[in-house]
Amino acid sequence: MLSRFPKIFWLVLAVVTISLIGLVWWRLTPPPVNILPATATAPVIDQARLAVEYQQAVDQLVTAYDVRAQVTPLTNDLADVERTAWIAAISVSLDQLLDQRIPAQYRDIHLALAIKLDQVRSALAIGVSDQEFEVRLAQLNSVIANRPWLATTQ
């Protein structure tokens, strides 16, 4: 009887081991993803209304920028408190700009405005030379002044 015990022990051990491996594999395997065909169609976006909303949002951001620039002109030699306030204001404006839904015809101006705002913000944060700052600020002001919808309203 002692000679049969080790054979049964190894058999039970093998069955338990295989069962545990199967259980672990079953628990760790992600469930299959059921991909159902899309039955709903995407809502139709009114591009004209979206363009007007985008224009108004950008105009509000530019107005806030202009008002702030009249109170504290944006230069490279600002005091630390004013520099920090400008960085925060530009960050908020950039966040608001990036939250907007963009009409197809304004993708380029949107990208240019976001890039130029970020470049001016980073110039203020890292403290570039006066000449480099003036170049970045002139580029931002050029993008702001050349908004495409201003040509049709003036």
Side-chain angles (χ1 to χ4, degrees):
M1 182 121 176
L2 289 175
S3 63
R4 298 184 85 190
F5 177 73
K7 290 180 185 177
I8 293 174
F9 174 75
W10 291 115
L11 180 65
V12 169
L13 184 63
V15 169
V16 169
T17 302
I18 291 172
S19 299
L20 286 175
I21 290 172
L23 179 66
V24 169
W25 179 77
W26 178 69
R27 294 294 286 163
L28 294 179
T29 304
V33 177
N34 293 331
I35 301 175
L36 301 174
T39 56
T41 59
V44 177
I45 298 173
D46 182 11
Q47 288 292 318
R49 184 176 57 82
L50 185 61
V52 169
E53 290 173 0
Y54 182 76
Q55 291 171 6
Q56 291 171 347
V58 171
D59 287 343
Q60 287 175 352
L61 291 174
V62 170
T63 301
Y65 170 79
D66 288 340
V67 168
R68 181 160 189 78
Q70 289 175 358
V71 173
T72 306
L74 183 55
T75 61
N76 199 26
D77 59 348
L78 293 170
D80 287 341
V81 173
E82 294 168 340
R83 181 179 300 270
T84 304
W86 262 110
I87 291 171
I90 292 173
S91 296
V92 168
S93 296
L94 186 58
D95 289 343
Q96 289 173 348
L97 179 68
L98 294 177
D99 285 342
Q100 297 299 316
R101 294 184 69 187
I102 310 159
Q105 71 263 31
Y106 295 143
R107 284 185 299 204
D108 293 336
I109 184 93
H110 180 81
L111 181 62
L113 189 56
I115 288 171
K116 297 307 174 191
L117 276 170
D118 188 54
Q119 287 177 348
V120 169
R121 179 181 63 178
S122 66
L124 282 171
I126 63 174
V128 297
S129 68
D130 287 345
Q131 182 181 4
E132 176 66 24
F133 183 80
E134 291 302 322
V135 167
R136 291 183 184 188
L137 188 59
Q139 290 172 344
L140 173 62
N141 289 332
S142 174
V143 170
I144 289 172
N146 294 321
R147 295 181 305 247
W149 56 90
L150 289 182
T152 60
T153 59
Q154 291 180 348

